[in-house]
Amino acid sequence: MIQRIVRAVIFGLLALVGLAMAVIFTISTVLAILVLVVASAIRGKPFAMKEYWMTRQSRRKAVQEKGSLRPADVTDVESRDIR
């Protein structure tokens, strides 16, 4: 009986810790978006999430294309199922 109560208390504490972590993550995300909005307002450009993510994706693709790995460097490897 006591073991069940201890487990329930530990579970409740872990749930509260997880909830606190989720709240902190949400607040930090909102603050980051607010910083982006303020920075874009200072620059005089409107802030649009879709445009922001499209710009980030195009940068990432450009970095990946500049890498040292070219199609000639890739080796095809056969694999077999081990049963």
Side-chain angles (χ1 to χ4, degrees):
M1 181 72 172
I2 293 176
Q3 201 173 23
R4 270 183 155 174
I5 294 172
V6 171
R7 283 185 190 169
V9 168
I10 290 173
F11 180 78
L13 288 175
L14 287 175
L16 289 176
V17 168
L19 180 65
M21 289 170 49
V23 168
I24 290 170
F25 177 74
T26 303
I27 291 171
S28 66
T29 303
V30 168
L31 288 175
I33 291 173
L34 285 174
V35 167
L36 290 173
V37 168
V38 169
S40 65
I42 290 172
R43 282 197 263 158
K45 296 181 179 178
F47 179 74
M49 285 300 289
K50 185 175 181 179
E51 182 181 332
Y52 173 75
W53 287 118
M54 295 290 276
T55 304
R56 282 190 54 107
Q57 285 179 347
S58 66
R59 283 187 201 159
R60 190 177 319 142
K61 287 178 185 176
V63 169
Q64 288 175 351
E65 290 172 0
K66 292 179 182 177
S68 64
L69 194 64
R70 290 180 292 279
D73 295 337
V74 177
T75 303
D76 187 16
V77 178
E78 283 190 28
S79 64
R80 56 188 170 96
D81 291 334
I82 299 174
R83 294 181 189 188

